[in-house]
Amino acid sequence: MVKINAKLIVWGLMLVISTMFLVNIVNACLSIESVKVYVNDKKESLGSIDTQPDSQLELKVKVENTCSDDTKLDLDDVRVEATIEGIDDGDDLEEESDEFGLDTERSKEVTIKFDIPLEVDDDSFKLIIFAQGDQANDSSINYNDTEEGSVDIEKESHEVIFTRAALSSEKLKCARTTSI
């Protein structure tokens, strides 16, 4: 018969609970403070971004090291990744910022740009913005934060876009006709 030591179980539970609390504190050191969204230089909101095919989507993502100055927990290798799921003929569009350092209680804004494909379905696509970084004095400790929104493609049924045009006859004279 196995004898269970009650003190061992209590100490084990206390260790698990304190570790979970510590992990929650650690994850709080990197935050996506704000996201500004522009479609063809026109401001939009992150929740639901209205755009059309062949547009440029620009995200200005402000990330902050929210650790207090007392902790001196600077961050290295911070980067922001953005993904629009399934928008490119079922494939994701992914863009990533350059890596940078972020001192305690400091913030930085990075810009991520997407070119919305010309051939895209009239649909809504999930946008995921993910920021991550490593603790400067211990790269095994990682921090991250996520924001989400949607990219809503609106196509006009009567709108036609010509991407290429050619003349059937290269030489034209008065009273001659050609077609495009």
Side-chain angles (χ1 to χ4, degrees), residues 1-179:
M1 182 167 176
V2 177
K3 192 173 188 182
I4 299 175
N5 187 342
K7 281 186 179 180
L8 184 61
I9 292 174
V10 170
W11 280 105
L13 285 173
M14 287 175 44
L15 178 65
V16 168
I17 291 169
S18 64
T19 303
M20 288 173 30
F21 180 70
L22 180 62
V23 167
N24 285 336
I25 291 172
V26 167
N27 285 342
C29 283
L30 182 64
S31 173
I32 296 175
E33 194 65 24
S34 65
V35 179
K36 296 176 188 169
V37 180
Y38 300 90
V39 175
N40 296 333
D41 298 322
K42 180 184 169 200
K43 190 167 177 127
E44 291 279 336
S45 64
L46 176 62
S48 180
I49 303 164
D50 295 327
T51 187
Q52 297 82 30
D54 202 30
S55 298
Q56 185 179 66
L57 173 64
E58 182 176 301
L59 306 171
K60 292 185 181 253
V61 182
K62 183 177 181 182
V63 293
E64 181 179 5
N65 180 341
T66 57
C67 288
S68 70
D69 209 21
D70 298 336
T71 62
K72 303 282 189 231
L73 290 178
D74 295 340
L75 302 178
D76 284 338
D77 303 327
V78 178
R79 66 185 172 280
V80 177
E81 303 167 5
T83 304
I84 306 174
E85 294 183 339
I87 194 168
D88 192 13
D89 199 23
D91 293 331
D92 298 345
L93 284 182
E94 300 173 327
E95 295 294 334
E96 183 177 305
S97 72
D98 292 333
E99 291 183 350
F100 56 93
L102 200 53
D103 293 340
T104 305
E105 294 186 338
R106 299 286 185 245
S107 62
K108 180 172 180 164
E109 186 175 83
V110 296
T111 301
I112 296 177
K113 294 181 180 181
F114 288 100
D115 291 322
I116 302 298
L118 178 61
E119 294 182 31
V120 63
D121 292 332
D122 191 352
D123 204 349
S124 182
F125 301 92
K126 187 175 186 178
L127 170 67
I128 302 170
I129 303 166
F130 180 72
Q132 68 179 31
D134 301 330
Q135 186 171 306
N137 60 0
D138 186 352
S139 63
S140 68
I141 300 176
N142 307 101
Y143 306 88
N144 63 65
D145 194 15
T146 304
E147 288 285 332
E148 294 186 4
S150 68
V151 176
D152 301 327
I153 303 296
E154 296 178 0
K155 292 172 132 180
E156 298 293 333
S157 60
H158 62 276
E159 189 173 0
V160 178
I161 299 174
F162 292 98
T163 58
R164 189 175 40 185
L167 299 174
S168 61
S169 175
E170 292 182 20
K171 294 183 181 181
L172 289 178
K173 295 182 181 176
C174 291
R176 291 248 173 139
T177 63
T178 191
S179 60

